[in-house]
Amino acid sequence: SWRASSDLRDSWSTIVANVTRRGEAWRTSSPGCWLDLDMMVLGRMTTFGYSHQTLLTPNEQYAHMGLWALLGSPILLGCDLTALDDLTLNLLTNDGILDIHQDSLGATARLMSADQGATQLWVKPLADGDLAVGVLNLRPFPRKTVLDFPSLGIKGPRFVRDVWRDRCLGEHAGSLELDLLGHEMPVLRIKGGSLCAKCP
């Protein structure tokens, strides 16, 4: 692995700036060759002698973990592992997110833009033919956005799964409308043609 960013701080602007500058990393990152976006800023941290809970909001923490999973960055923790709160523990042990991070294809998400730059789409192909998509709201307020399937190279109806909530969103054709909270990034697993294993 190689460091591909400046030192990370627990501020939203730093996280967005670091990952956005790596938008072309998907061209060079591959199994055995991973970009390192620096240690994660989750949980109780000590920086410059100051011990504190991360300054990221809960939505920003979910986005932080989702981005590291989609980009395949090593999950390096600088927090106090003896003082993990429920939110941090749930972030770090979500099976669906870890499956995306550890996917055997080893692809790195590529960056796409939507809504005149108000939304980032991070798109990662998976070994089983599924597509993992992070839909990142860069704005600090709630917004609606539409995920356009043809722009992702998807044809026909597909089943979609909300990875964080481990919940099937049903079958969708052409697009999917999403209600996003401020700085929220839902991670979706769009099936490659087969029925979602846990869908009705």
Side-chain angles (χ1 to χ4, degrees), residues 25 27 34 58 61 70-71 85 116 148 161-162 177 187 194:
R27 296 183 183 276
W34 309 109
Q61 292 176 62
L70 288 162
L71 286 161
D85 60 357
Q116 290 76 50
D148 179 65
R161 184 160 206 83
D162 180 331
E177 185 174 291
V187 177
S194 59

Side-chain angles (χ1 to χ4, degrees), residues 2-23 35-41 48 64 68 73-74 76:
W2 73 96
R3 271 293 296 274
S5 70
S6 58
D7 288 348
L8 199 65
R9 293 182 292 110
D10 50 338
S11 75
W12 177 247
S13 60
T14 303
I15 288 175
V16 171
N18 277 1
V19 297
T20 300
R21 286 196 294 266
R22 306 304 147 222
L35 77 161
D36 173 10
L37 295 171
D38 200 11
M39 68 179 186
M40 303 192 74
V41 286
F48 304 106
H64 179 19
W68 263 236
S73 177
L76 305 174

